[in-house]
Amino acid sequence: MSKRYSASIIELEGESVLRLRDEQTDCTVDIAPGIGMNVIRYARGGRDIILPPLSLAQLRRWPTRFGIPVLSPPGRVSGGRFQYAGRSYQLPLTHGPHHVHGEIGRLPWELKRHGASAAEGAFAEAVYAYDRDPQRYAYFPHKLECRLTYSVRDGDLYLQGSAFNGGECTVPLALGFHPYFVFSGGLKDVVLYAPPCAEWPRDGEGQAAGLPVPTGLTQRLEEGLPLGEMNSDLAFLRLESKESVWVIEDRPAARRLLLRTDPLFSNMVLFKPSWANAISLEPHSCVPDACNLPWDGEETGARGLDSGSARLFSWSIQVNER
């Protein structure tokens, strides 16, 4: 095991939690495999980068309000119903008359390995497979396996993932993450810089109501938008480049956070929670409710994974102290 990096399992409120450490940057990442493989803590130098829950009991009650939840499918599915490749699906209703954010972000994942080395940093890998979960397999009958590897290197957080279809028919693939970036100062002193993007217009229920277009918000994001001046608590954005870099300039903390996402994540949802001094930048593979929208998958991001195929994806959070 590396002297600089370490990976261990600790007990926290009766839950086995993975702790990844980088001693040189005083970086700690805690991950709860039993609660959706959620990154419940990411801190450097004693300062939180990601919003932690006050307790694991709080996280179990609100599994998508803290840390970095995994979403599949991301966002709302109207009525919990959708069709893809000639097949109909009915998901459980988890938010009033709708299904929201999927369930794998609150369920146990199978820990495969964890460790540390000078080359790999501190790392942990876990798997969720629908066919090994009878309750979820009953409404999503696919041999879809999701594999996530989190690693800490030089105080930065990296995610390498894959989705593998071991079944005989095409699987609808919809994936997202929900990191909550937390700040000690006011949002008026935090500036967000976005790559070129367009905004999805939304209807009265908050769903996409037309194809994305440039707006005043997207222009301001490219120039740098103080988060205190963001007029809405929610925005759906489609990225114009295959890979993207989002920059959060946290002026009171004298640091910059860089969120890098790969081409799978063609959409980004911006969300300002009411319960914390934070902003969530949510990389999504598709716009919410993509399969129920009247546009093709090239526009919405709705896509399938063929039998025997795998899709790799990645993102990272890098911290530049000043």
Side-chain angles (χ1 to χ4, degrees):
M1 180 173 288
S2 166
K3 292 183 179 179
R4 173 177 177 174
Y5 298 109
S6 63
S8 58
I9 297 178
I10 64 172
E11 292 299 313
L12 185 62
E13 300 178 42
E15 191 80 35
S16 293
V17 171
L18 284 157
R19 174 159 291 176
L20 308 182
R21 279 283 297 165
D22 175 6
E23 298 296 336
Q24 187 167 313
T25 59
D26 188 19
C27 175
T28 300
V29 171
D30 288 343
I31 306 169
I35 313 177
M37 199 58 181
N38 191 317
V39 178
I40 59 174
R41 185 185 181 204
Y42 176 26
R44 273 180 57 159
R47 297 190 300 184
D48 287 315
I49 296 166
I50 294 297
L51 177 68
L54 295 177
S55 66
L56 292 185
Q58 185 185 49
L59 181 68
R60 293 187 190 98
R61 183 178 180 186
W62 291 301
T64 61
R65 287 194 171 197
F66 308 95
I68 307 180
V70 186
L71 315 176
S72 185
R76 191 179 89 183
V77 178
S78 298
R81 297 184 298 273
F82 70 95
Q83 291 187 342
Y84 190 83
R87 187 168 193 155
S88 298
Y89 298 84
Q90 177 63 63
L91 308 182
L93 305 182
T94 58
H95 189 78
H98 307 296
H99 180 88
V100 174
H101 287 335
E103 294 190 281
I104 67 174
R106 67 185 70 203
L107 300 171
W109 287 56
E110 180 184 356
L111 179 62
K112 289 296 187 180
R113 66 187 185 106
H114 66 284
S117 69
E120 294 181 273
F123 60 85
E125 178 183 341
V127 168
Y128 175 83
Y130 281 89
D131 61 327
R132 294 199 286 272
D133 183 345
Q135 185 174 347
R136 258 53 62 172
Y137 190 67
Y139 65 76
F140 195 78
H142 294 289
K143 292 185 177 181
L144 178 64
E145 178 186 274
C146 297
R147 184 177 298 263
L148 301 181
T149 302
Y150 281 107
S151 61
V152 172
R153 300 192 302 276
D154 297 322
D156 299 328
L157 179 62
Y158 296 85
L159 181 281
Q160 297 284 335
S162 67
F164 174 69
N165 179 8
E168 298 180 353
C169 60
T170 299
V171 176
L173 179 63
L175 183 66
F177 292 83
H178 204 321
Y180 288 89
F181 295 94
V182 65
F183 311 102
S184 57
L187 291 183
K188 64 182 178 61
D189 297 317
V190 178
V191 181
L192 176 61
Y193 297 87
C197 54
E199 184 175 7
W200 292 87
R202 294 183 296 123
D203 61 22
E205 295 187 352
Q207 294 299 88
L211 292 175
V213 294
T215 64
L217 173 63
T218 60
Q219 181 179 347
R220 291 210 64 194
L221 284 168
E222 287 188 52
E223 298 168 350
L225 173 66
L227 292 177
E229 298 177 16
M230 184 174 166
N231 294 325
S232 173
D233 291 339
L234 184 68
F236 297 169
L237 305 174
R238 189 178 68 185
L239 306 178
E240 296 179 4
S241 57
K242 292 185 177 180
E243 296 181 345
S244 66
V245 180
W246 297 71
V247 178
I248 302 173
E249 186 175 317
D250 186 353
R251 291 172 177 171
R255 69 183 180 187
R256 278 190 162 199
L257 309 177
L258 281 71
L259 173 63
R260 300 178 184 272
T261 65
D262 85 357
L264 175 68
F265 302 109
S266 57
N267 288 265
M268 183 71 73
V269 172
L270 304 188
F271 174 57
K272 285 202 301 184
S274 60
W275 56 89
N277 193 40
I279 184 73
S280 184
L281 309 184
E282 306 174 39
H284 287 193
S285 66
C286 57
V287 69
D289 217 13
C291 289
N292 287 321
L293 298 177
W295 307 291
D296 62 35
E298 290 296 318
E299 298 287 356
T300 65
R303 70 196 72 198
L305 188 63
D306 293 336
S307 173
S309 296
R311 181 65 166 85
L312 305 180
F313 53 88
S314 64
W315 54 256
S316 66
I317 299 172
Q318 296 170 282
V319 184
N320 294 335
E321 306 281 359
R322 294 183 292 164

